[in-house]
Amino acid sequence: VQLQASGGGLVQAGGSLRLSCAASGRTFSSYIMGWFRRAPGKEREFVAGTSGSTYYAESVKGRFTISRDNAKNTVYLQMNSLKPEDTAVYYCAARTRSLGAVAIRIRENYDYWGQGTLVTVSS
């Protein structure tokens, strides 16, 4: 499985961005997909995941939305009301086996990673 993330950029606080992650593979609809981010000097952290249900980190709940288009083998992260603390490199990740609501938040449970796309939010 190969993942290609795109859509990052520079945006002012309060603005919006939509990240995309295109995946290879003929069974994309069965993949667990997640978005993680790594801010400068911090560990990579869970942002959102989808397995049919959707899951969010508390810090982004109500502002970010994860969605997928199985016909396009693509997962999206719509980010609204962006804050300077959202500045990070955002990574998409995939797993081909099922995950529960807790395990989906753990980066070690993902098998495949995209290259990352930088999001910078200015104040």
Side-chain angles (χ1 to χ4, degrees):
V1 176
Q2 292 183 324
L3 304 174
Q4 181 72 39
S6 62
L10 174 63
V11 63
Q12 289 189 330
S16 299
L17 280 176
R18 188 177 79 157
L19 305 183
S20 300
C21 176
S24 64
R26 288 180 288 181
T27 57
F28 174 78
S29 60
S30 68
Y31 297 169
I32 308 300
M33 298 299 298
W35 286 97
F36 289 75
R37 67 186 182 188
R38 184 170 63 196
K42 294 188 177 182
E43 295 286 323
R44 192 176 300 192
E45 65 176 4
F46 173 79
V47 175
T50 177
S51 60
S53 298
T54 55
Y55 306 89
Y56 298 95
E58 285 298 319
S59 60
V60 307
K61 196 174 292 184
R63 300 187 297 121
F64 291 11
T65 302
I66 187 171
S67 62
R68 65 194 300 161
D69 185 338
N70 291 331
K72 295 182 178 180
N73 276 22
T74 300
V75 65
Y76 303 98
L77 185 68
Q78 178 66 45
M79 305 185 295
N80 298 329
S81 302
L82 283 161
K83 304 175 181 179
E85 51 263 44
D86 294 317
T87 294
V89 177
Y90 283 72
Y91 299 89
C92 59
R95 177 181 167 98
T96 57
R97 297 160 289 165
S98 63
L99 283 173
V102 174
I104 200 170
R105 300 169 183 270
I106 300 173
R107 65 178 185 265
E108 288 82 2
N109 288 334
Y110 288 80
D111 304 311
Y112 305 98
W113 291 85
Q115 84 287 5
T117 185
L118 177 62
V119 172
T120 304
V121 184
S122 63
S123 57

